[in-house]
Amino acid sequence: MKIAEIFHNLKEKDADNLRELEADIKSGKRPTVFNAGWTSRGHSWSDLENLGYAVSHSERGSSPTEMVSWWEYTGPEPITLKTSGREQPEVIQSGYQTQKHTKDYG
């Protein structure tokens, strides 16, 4: 199998996973999504963003080298959000926003 075929198959698998996530959300199954921009363990905010169900926000911080960022869930039905360090996942609704995180790039 050629490298190009391998990457094509991975892309198809990713598309299938996103379609499955979208179907689970629309049917009200409250699928689990990890509170991370990306993860290899399951779905994350970037997957929701690819479906049009999340928005990544950012703004300048208190100094010119700081950026503040956070996610907002905009999907049609609730999902379950799993956050590292929390014992229990939480069910979130459309409009939910994560805590804001500040990063200094100076």
Side-chain angles (χ1 to χ4, degrees):
M1 182 177 283
K2 295 179 181 178
I3 296 286
E5 290 177 274
I6 292 171
F7 282 111
H8 174 76
N9 290 344
L10 287 173
K11 189 174 182 178
E12 287 297 315
K13 184 178 177 187
D14 287 346
D16 289 344
N17 285 338
L18 283 179
R19 282 191 290 273
E20 184 178 327
L21 175 62
E22 182 176 34
D24 287 349
I25 291 170
K26 286 182 174 179
S27 68
K29 290 184 179 178
R30 296 183 180 172
T32 298
V33 175
F34 287 89
N35 192 5
W38 182 88
T39 182
S40 62
R41 298 179 291 160
H43 297 293
S44 64
W45 284 106
S46 60
D47 295 320
L48 293 172
E49 185 177 41
N50 287 335
L51 292 172
Y53 293 165
V55 177
S56 175
H57 296 283
S58 62
E59 61 187 28
R60 286 198 177 269
S62 57
S63 76
T65 60
E66 285 184 349
M67 287 299 292
V68 179
S69 61
W70 69 98
W71 288 97
E72 179 180 2
Y73 178 63
T74 60
E77 296 292 332
I79 61 169
T80 304
L81 187 65
K82 175 75 174 135
T83 302
S84 178
R86 286 196 184 160
E87 198 170 305
Q88 296 293 325
E90 61 183 313
V91 175
I92 64 169
Q93 309 278 341
S94 187
Y96 172 90
Q97 294 184 11
T98 62
Q99 291 182 351
K100 293 181 178 184
H101 296 279
T102 302
K103 181 156 178 132
D104 191 338
Y105 292 94

